[in-house]
Every structure is written in C-alpha cells, then in structure tokens.
Amino acid sequence: MSMITERPVSDSAGQPPVRTVVEDSVAPRRDVRAILSAYVALTKPRIVELLLVTTVPAMMLAADGLPSLWLVAVVLVGGSLAAGAASVINCYIDRDIDQLMRRTKRRPLPAHTVSPRSALVFGLTLAVISVALMATFTNLLAAGLTLAAIVYYDVIYTLWLKRTTAANTFWGGACGAAPVLIGWAAVTGSLSPAAWALFGVVFFWQMPHFYPLAMKYKDDYARAGIPMLPVVASTRRVNAEILIFTWLTVLTSLAVWPLGMSFVYGVPTLVVGGVFVVEAHKLARRVASGQAVKPMRLFHWSTTYLTIVFAAVALDALL
C-alpha cells in the first residue's frame, strides 16, 4: 500500500515553503520481493530442476508404471528441499571464494543480500524438513539416502574435495546421481541393479557435463584457488577425460537396456548417445587442431542428452 507524505518545497524567490503532497514508492514491498528472490537464488533452482528430471522417471521405472501421485509429490517436494538445502549450505561454505569469481560474485552472500548466519539457518532448516518429510511419508532407506546426499555434498565435496583435489568433480558425482537412488528407494524400499545402472549414467555424465563449464571459467577457478581439472591440467588432458566419461555414460545407458527395458528406451538412447559421443569428439578435434575451443556447446548438449534418456525411461515404464 502506498504512503502519502507532505514535503516542504521552496520557490526560487525565497517565498515561504509550500506544502506539497508526494506519494512514496512501494520500496518496502520491493525489498521483500528482492529478499525472497535472494533466498530462492541460494537454492540454485536450475540444479534442483535438473535433479528432478532424473528422479521421477526412476520412480516410474521402479513402479513399472505410474507410482502413487501422493508419493511422487512427497519425493518431489522432499527432493527439492534437500537439493535446495545442499545448495544453500554450499553457498554458505563457498562465500569466501564466490566473491572472487566473476561467475558467482553476484550470488546473495557475496552481494550481501543475505547474511551468512541467515543463509546457514535457512539451509539447515530446509535439510531437517526434507529428511523428516522423507522419513515420515516414504521409508528410512530413502530418508537415509537423502541425508547422506546432503552431508556428502556439503561436507565431503564442498568443504574438502573441491578445495584439495582435481578429482573433485569425479568424487562429487555421487551427489548429483543420488536422486535416482532416492526416488527408486521411495517406491520399492530397496535398490535393484537397474537403479544402480541409472545411477551410473548420471554419475559418469557429470564429467562431460561439468568439465566444459570449468574450461570456460577456469580463470575464475584459478583466481579462487580451486583446483578444478582445467586449472591444473592441459586442455588435451581435460578433453581425454571428457571422451572417456562420455563413452562410459553412453555405454552405461545402453547397459540399462537389457535390464527390463524395451526398444522404446533403447532406440532413442542409442541415437542421442551417438550424438553425444560425436560432440565430445568434435571438441577434442578442435583442441588438437588448435582451433578456438567452444566447450559450452557440449555443456548444453549434455543437458539435452540426459533429459532425452530419462524421458525415454519414463515412456518405457508407461508403455
């Protein structure tokens, strides 16, 4: 609601001030909106969205069709809160390096939109709610995996691996692939070979997905003292690992095929896997020939690849 105030205004001839009515702006409302947006930004919504792309198809395959919509809703909410909690705590831990990197210096903590203490309380609150939700409405295995994923990402990866080893992306890959196992466990209360195979797809996929991004922003990581592989290794070495893990991703996705899947899954997975491999080799050839490296092409295609593969999982489960 706008506020009306009176302000004195003097004319140039020195006459007595005239009272004028001025309508104040709705700054408080805008401030609230900005603060809410900052808290949402701390949860890294794009990462949450990508994680959920893998969770629901895994649940559908585990249920051999459509699982209970109530269960899907619980896992989506719980999983979103868990991923958001992990991201918020990650922002709290990384606030010292985020302010040194161009890519991250506008995040809420480096920009001082949210205080570190408030961010930590927010993140821990989301974590408690997410685990409690999963424990109450799914089962202990799904809840335990949810808690383990949050702890692993923030304590093992963010606090330790990210700052100490160039293999941080590899060892941190378990966090990004955990939603597959969590969704499967929520439906069945156990983990089957198919669940672990899908976990492997997402696990291996994270290297050809993230290394191109790290290549583009390697100066940022170097400035912050983070030993990402593109910072400490040659471009040829990075591309060699991209090729290895791209092939492992595609081969693992094809290994899912005989685990109860039909051609509805197999054919599109084979096609997009072929394109994924071709794109990875194109990047390697550009590096070998000394051409300008355009790593973000592979980065964006990797997202498309994963989306199509898990859409095929969902469609196969339905049919």
Side-chain angles (χ1 to χ4, degrees), residues 61-96:
L61 185 60
D64 195 21
L66 276 176
S68 161
L69 294 181
W70 164 251
L71 182 62
V72 172
V74 168
V75 174
L76 286 179
V77 173
S80 297
L81 292 176
S87 293
V88 173
I89 298 171
N90 166 268
C91 287
Y92 170 80
I93 296 170
D94 278 352
R95 65 191 186 280
D96 59 331

Side-chain angles (χ1 to χ4, degrees), residues 21-45:
V21 178
V22 180
E23 184 175 356
D24 288 346
S25 66
V26 288
R29 182 180 298 176
R30 291 176 181 173
D31 288 345
V32 171
R33 187 178 302 163
I35 292 173
L36 290 177
S37 296
Y39 276 97
V40 171
L42 285 172
T43 66
K44 302 179 183 177

Side-chain angles (χ1 to χ4, degrees), residues 43-199:
T43 66
K44 302 179 183 177
R46 294 183 66 183
I47 294 178
V48 173
E49 178 184 346
L50 187 60
L51 295 178
L52 296 181
V53 164
T54 65
T55 305
V56 175
M59 293 180 70
M60 294 173 66
L61 185 60
D64 195 21
L66 276 176
S68 161
L69 294 181
W70 164 251
L71 182 62
V72 172
V74 168
V75 174
L76 286 179
V77 173
S80 297
L81 292 176
S87 293
V88 173
I89 298 171
N90 166 268
C91 287
Y92 170 80
I93 296 170
D94 278 352
R95 65 191 186 280
D96 59 331
I97 61 175
D98 279 351
Q99 64 186 347
L100 302 175
M101 299 171 61
R102 285 193 298 270
R103 185 172 68 90
T104 58
K105 67 181 181 181
R106 294 183 180 178
R107 287 178 176 173
L109 288 177
H112 306 292
T113 310
V114 178
S115 71
R117 182 179 181 278
S118 297
L120 180 60
V121 171
F122 179 51
L124 292 175
T125 301
L126 291 181
V128 171
I129 294 173
S130 66
V131 175
L133 191 65
M134 297 295 286
T136 303
F137 296 106
T138 62
N139 54 64
L140 291 181
L141 177 59
L145 289 170
T146 300
L147 176 61
I150 296 172
V151 172
Y152 189 96
Y153 181 71
D154 288 321
V155 178
I156 305 300
Y157 171 73
T158 303
L159 255 170
W160 177 35
L161 295 173
K162 182 177 180 179
R163 299 172 183 244
T164 58
T165 174
N168 50 27
T169 304
F170 176 83
W171 293 111
C175 308
V180 172
L181 299 183
I182 294 169
W184 194 286
V187 173
T188 66
S190 61
L191 298 173
S192 72
W196 286 108
L198 290 176
F199 172 89

Side-chain angles (χ1 to χ4, degrees), residues 248-299:
L248 284 173
T249 301
V250 174
L251 291 175
T252 305
S253 70
L254 293 176
V256 178
W257 194 347
L259 298 177
M261 309 296 284
S262 72
F263 71 92
V264 174
Y265 167 83
V267 172
T269 297
L270 182 61
V271 172
V272 296
V275 177
F276 194 18
V277 168
V278 168
E279 288 295 332
H281 278 275
K282 282 182 179 179
L283 177 61
R285 282 198 298 271
R286 285 196 296 270
V287 171
S289 63
Q291 299 179 42
V293 179
K294 300 177 180 178
M296 294 305 288
R297 178 184 174 93
L298 183 62
F299 172 81

